[in-house]
């Protein structure tokens, strides 16, 4: 039996790569994902050994190299450079070491498919033995290369509807896959008042019965997840049970489901759709026909798994600058990393997160609670509220005593931070509910104090700033095909609202609603 010195050495061997081949793969990955890290062969030899050539400890790994390895494998550099944990022959080393959440996926899938306990884990292990990482990477790259408008056009034709969110402007006509209604737009509802009245309910949820085709698709999802180092954790998610959105407020109800149930059912529809478009074969969509066959199913949120997200355009006031120019708002756009479950490699607003509880399911149901947590996690550096790296041990992770310095400063004085819901829709790609929001930091002192500290977490491979005074670049931005449909929905809703309230800091293009 082969003995490995580090988890990194083990993971490279599991990919059936030599060290030279892995160096080439890392170089290609860094270019494709805009990672600044580099990795030479001699450096890699020291890393897999866990020691320097003379036997001395490795010491601190360069931050850019650590980030590159963490992005490729979905594990921290400390884990990658540690000795592997010995396991019995029946256990999957990849599944157990790099993806702790897969244990919950195995249990759920065995129950849903009617398999004996341990079957899903065995199928994953068998799938990994024959999986070609290069082929899987190529498939993921092809999926990521499908343009946003192609996806939107396909789902509109499938559901025979034109009622999806879009805008028109000068030489501009953009449509998304987000089904919406006139009363779900132009909301401007504060997320710090009584305008938001979502309630938590309890429903008896039976495990769905998966047929053979659906179960096989779920196994293949787990194989790709494990082989490509995608982060996967069985976290609780809010599922929509009822919705009532309009100018008077946000009403409705949610219950608590599991990420596994969503990831192995409804979330498979996005990949199936992208594969069908990429192949150009015009094949049927068996999973979509099963899980989300028509508009009645889309609108029946209580009768299906309807998970959701909160996406926000963040606008940060900046003072006049001798190089940049007049006072404006900095608008932040992210490129999603290859480690995320969905919208990998796509443009999106930031933060973009699932609507889910941390430790208090009833209090955390507020959209404002999710949005504050996502700001802390995705921009303000709070890794302790990222539950994908392990369960939180804090009783109240978002207690004011645990806030980051930027969040504490924003909350110290009323009026520094404004959060609004700008729109709502149901994404025809996967049936998700999408709350578009706008976060405006009004006090321009924030930027000199904290602008240099803003940094995306592992979910993003890069950030780009746009000025609210640069109508030309923003017009070009909204037409880029690299957007996720839900990300563009939130961006456009936010831009339209910011144009109304931004005053002299804003010189944005005028977008009129279309498709409603």
């Amino acid at each position: 039996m082969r003995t490995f010195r580090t988890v990194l050495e083990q993971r490279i061997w599991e990919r059936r790569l030599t060290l030279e081949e892995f160096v080439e793969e890392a170089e290609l990955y860094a270019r494709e994902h805009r990672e600044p890290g580099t990795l030479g062969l001699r450096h890699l030899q020291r890393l897999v050994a866990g020691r320097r050539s003379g036997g001395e400890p490795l010491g601190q790994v360069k931050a850019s190299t650590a980030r590159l390895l963490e992005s490729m494998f979905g594990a921290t550099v400390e884990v990658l450079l540690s000795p592997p944990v010995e396991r019995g022959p029946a256990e999957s080393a990849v599944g157990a070491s790099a993806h702790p959440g897969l244990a919950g996926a195995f249990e759920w899938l065995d129950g849903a498919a009617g398999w004996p306990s341990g079957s899903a884990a065995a199928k994953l292990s068998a799938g990994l033995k024959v999986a070609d990482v290069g082929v899987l990477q190529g498939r993921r790259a092809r999926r990521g290369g499908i343009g946003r408008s192609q996806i939107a056009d396909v789902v509109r034709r499938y559901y025979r509807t034109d009622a999806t969110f879009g805008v028109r402007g000068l030489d501009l006509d953009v449509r998304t896959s987000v089904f919406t209604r006139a009363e779900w737009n132009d909301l401007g509802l504060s997320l710090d008042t009584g305008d938001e009245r979502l309630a938590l309910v309890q429903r008896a949820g039976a495990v769905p019965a998966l047929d053979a085709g659906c179960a096989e698709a779920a196994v293949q999802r787990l194989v790709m997840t494990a082989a490509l180092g995608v982060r996967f954790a069985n976290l609780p998610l809010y599922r929509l049970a009822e919705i009532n959105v309009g100018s008077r407020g946000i009403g409705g109800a949610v219950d608590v489901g599991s990420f596994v149930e969503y990831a192995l059912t409804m979330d498979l529809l996005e990949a199936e759709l992208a594969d069908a478009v990429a192949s150009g074969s015009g094949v049927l969509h068996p999973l979509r026909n099963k899980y989300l066959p028509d508009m009645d199913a889309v609108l029946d949120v209580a009768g299906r798994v309807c998970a959701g997200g909160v996406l926000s355009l963040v606008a940060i006031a900046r003072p006049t600058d001798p190089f940049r120019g007049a006072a404006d708002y900095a608008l932040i756009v992210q490129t999603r990393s290859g480690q995320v479950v969905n919208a990998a490699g796509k443009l999106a607003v930031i933060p973009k997160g699932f609507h889910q509880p941390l430790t208090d399911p009833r209090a955390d149901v507020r959209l404002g609670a999710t949005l504050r947590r996502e700001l802390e996690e995705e921009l303000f550096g709070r890794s302790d509220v990222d539950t994908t790296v392990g369960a939180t041990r804090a009783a109240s992770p978002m207690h004011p005593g645990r806030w980051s310095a930027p969040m504490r400063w924003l909350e110290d004085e009323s009026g520094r931070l404004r959060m609004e819901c700008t729109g709502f829709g149901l994404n025809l790609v996967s049936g998700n509910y999408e709350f578009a929001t706008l976060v405006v930091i009004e006090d321009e002192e924030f930027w000199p104090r904290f602008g240099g500290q803003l940094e995306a977490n592992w979910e993003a491979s890069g950030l780009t700033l746009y000025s609210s005074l640069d109508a030309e670049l923003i017009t070009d931005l909204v037409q880029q095909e690299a957007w996720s449909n839900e990300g563009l929905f939130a961006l456009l809703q936010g831009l339209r609202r910011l144009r109304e309230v931004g005053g002299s800091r804003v010189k944005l293009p005028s977008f009129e609603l279309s498709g409603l």
Side-chain angles (χ1 to χ4, degrees), residues 168-246:
R168 289 193 183 97
L170 184 63
D171 299 323
L172 175 71
D173 190 354
V174 174
R175 297 288 294 277
T176 73
S177 66
V178 179
F179 173 84
T180 188
R181 293 170 170 164
E183 62 268 26
W184 293 353
N185 294 282
D186 297 323
L187 297 178
L189 298 171
S190 172
L191 296 180
D192 283 322
T193 67
D195 288 344
E196 182 191 341
R197 297 181 297 276
L198 284 176
L200 180 68
V201 296
Q202 290 184 304
R203 296 186 296 171
V207 175
L210 303 187
D211 62 25
C214 293
E216 176 59 25
V219 170
Q220 292 307 310
R221 173 62 176 277
L222 294 179
V223 170
M224 179 172 279
T225 295
L228 298 186
V230 176
R231 291 203 186 191
F232 193 103
N234 189 19
L235 306 171
L237 289 181
Y238 288 122
R239 301 180 302 189
L240 195 62
E242 178 186 345
I243 189 65
N244 181 19
V245 175

Side-chain angles (χ1 to χ4, degrees), residues 312-324:
S312 186
L313 174 63
V314 171
I316 305 174
R318 297 189 294 189
T320 300
D321 182 270
F323 299 100
R324 189 184 63 250

